[in-house]
Amino acid sequence: MSFLNELKNNFKIFLILLGISSFLQFMFKQAFIFPSILPLNIPNEGILEIIGNIAFYLYFIMLIVISVIISTKYRALIPITIVLLISPFFNLIPHYNISSFWYSLETALFILGIVSMVEGLIKSPLQNILLTPTMILVAIGLYASVSLNVFQHALFLSYLTAYFISLLSFITYSIIQGKIKSMRNYIAIVIGVLSLIPFIFMENVISSNRYMEILMNMILPATLGINLYNPYRITLLILALGLTAMGILISIIKGNLSAGIGYFIVISTVFLGIDGYTLLLYMISPIIGFCLMNFEDTKRKKYIIEIISLTRKG
């Protein structure tokens, strides 16, 4: 118990390390794999790859630590944490990724993931109901993976539309959580809006430059998930990424690190489900990311589950 208490006391430190490592592994590992094989001159490519590899392993370790901490509140997350902890040893099983063991594991993770996210949502303040679209988005990503790997059936739907619904509800949540009429909230919103400017410039460049449009049509879906590929909607994807940066910055500046970092983890991994999640880490990440979004200091706030209980008694 003292070990768990020590982890909880240093939660913010681990959370910051998770945020930094998730961003670096996304930029220089997950997102760097595809452009690194293109005939492009990338300065210091070797150094960037080393940074990406180090960040990836740090991300794995920090995700385990954070998962252990939040599983003390969300009990359904405990089996997922154990699977994440022992996942490196699955490589010792011959052809594990095409075995019945793997199919059973993915199906179990899908069920446990849904239960964990529902538990995370109902054990959170009422305003967190706005995060429901994000939970549905994660559930869709998990189901797409199980559908493809287990049943060999690809799930086709407008993932970008689901992304926008989740995004708009998250931005609304980021703005209204905490004190709305405060200088910190106003500053957060201004900085969040300013973060959109580079993405607006990028959108203008892509829409007026056919070569850049073709390049982004290859790189962005390969990075985030091939199911986001749509050559006619690439500018909308750029806008969505800009709004994502805006929502995350607003949350972080307002002091809700868990929601900001959790949403970044969700968006950077959830769309990989249509590919069947080539790494188990990326399948578990959005589940933990969503639970992390709901894991905050909720003193003097009523949980959704408490409101449901009062309604039943009434």
Side-chain angles (χ1 to χ4, degrees):
M1 291 298 293
S2 59
F3 175 70
L4 279 176
N5 290 332
E6 193 68 29
L7 290 180
K8 289 180 182 178
N9 292 336
N10 294 285
F11 174 70
K12 272 200 172 179
I13 296 174
F14 294 131
L15 187 59
I16 291 170
L17 287 174
L18 176 66
I20 294 172
S21 60
S22 65
F23 178 76
L24 291 177
Q25 80 84 24
F26 175 76
M27 290 296 297
F28 303 123
K29 180 71 175 178
Q30 183 179 333
F32 197 68
I33 291 173
F34 186 77
S36 65
I37 62 175
L38 293 175
L40 300 173
N41 182 23
I42 303 175
N44 302 313
E45 182 177 346
I47 296 175
L48 296 178
E49 288 181 345
I50 292 172
I51 294 173
N53 289 330
I54 294 173
F56 177 81
Y57 290 110
L58 179 61
Y59 170 68
F60 174 72
I61 294 169
M62 288 300 105
L63 196 67
I64 291 174
V65 173
I66 291 296
S67 183
V68 168
I69 295 172
I70 63 179
S71 64
T72 58
K73 181 178 180 181
Y74 310 134
R75 299 296 182 180
L77 199 60
I78 293 175
I80 296 176
T81 304
I82 294 172
V83 170
L84 179 63
L85 185 62
I86 64 175
S87 60
F89 300 101
F90 292 159
N91 288 319
L92 300 176
I93 303 173
H95 309 294
Y96 77 96
N97 59 328
I98 55 173
S99 64
S100 57
F101 162 76
W102 178 254
Y103 301 147
S104 302
L105 181 64
E106 274 210 329
T107 305
L109 286 175
F110 169 66
I111 297 170
L112 289 169
I114 299 297
V115 174
S116 299
M117 291 189 295
V118 170
E119 183 184 9
L121 188 63
I122 64 175
K123 288 184 177 179
S124 62
L126 184 60
Q127 63 190 12
N128 285 41
I129 201 74
L130 287 167
L131 300 179
T132 303
T134 302
M135 182 182 71
I136 294 172
L137 181 64
V138 175
I140 289 172
L142 295 173
Y143 177 75
S145 176
V146 173
S147 178
L148 183 66
N149 282 341
V150 180
F151 303 106
Q152 287 77 52
H153 175 73
L155 181 64
F156 295 104
L157 52 85
S158 179
Y159 290 92
L160 190 56
T161 301
Y163 183 7
F164 265 108
I165 295 171
S166 163
L167 181 54
L168 293 176
S169 61
F170 172 68
I171 291 174
T172 304
Y173 164 79
S174 300
I175 293 173
I176 69 170
Q177 62 93 25
K179 292 183 179 179
I180 299 176
K181 294 182 179 180
S182 66
M183 184 58 66
R184 188 171 187 174
N185 191 37
Y186 299 144
I187 291 173
I189 293 172
V190 170
I191 293 176
V193 172
L194 289 175
S195 70
L196 271 173
I197 295 176
F199 293 91
I200 293 173
F201 279 125
M202 186 178 179
E203 188 272 336
N204 287 330
V205 170
I206 291 172
S207 60
S208 60
N209 187 319
R210 180 58 180 160
Y211 173 73
M212 283 294 295
E213 185 179 356
I214 293 171
L215 203 60
M216 289 298 105
N217 264 319
M218 291 189 293
I219 292 175
L220 291 180
T223 300
L224 294 167
I226 197 64
N227 47 324
L228 289 175
Y229 174 77
N230 189 329
Y232 303 105
R233 303 178 74 181
I234 188 65
T235 52
L236 287 178
L237 180 56
I238 298 294
L239 177 61
L241 293 175
L243 290 171
T244 300
M246 173 182 167
I248 290 171
L249 282 174
I250 290 174
S251 279
I252 291 175
I253 293 171
K254 291 183 69 174
N256 194 349
L257 294 177
S258 297
I261 294 172
Y263 194 70
F264 176 80
I265 292 173
V266 167
I267 294 304
S268 62
T269 56
V270 69
F271 296 108
L272 299 174
I274 195 66
D275 298 327
Y277 289 113
T278 51
L279 287 176
L280 189 63
L281 173 66
Y282 290 147
M283 182 179 187
I284 294 176
S285 288
I287 300 171
I288 297 174
F290 180 78
C291 291
L292 181 60
M293 291 174 70
N294 293 284
F295 189 82
E296 58 174 330
D297 183 12
T298 56
K299 291 178 181 177
R300 292 181 296 223
K301 294 180 182 178
K302 282 189 176 181
Y303 293 147
I304 293 173
I305 193 171
E306 292 175 347
I307 296 172
I308 294 172
S309 298
L310 289 172
T311 305
R312 285 181 176 178
K313 288 178 181 177

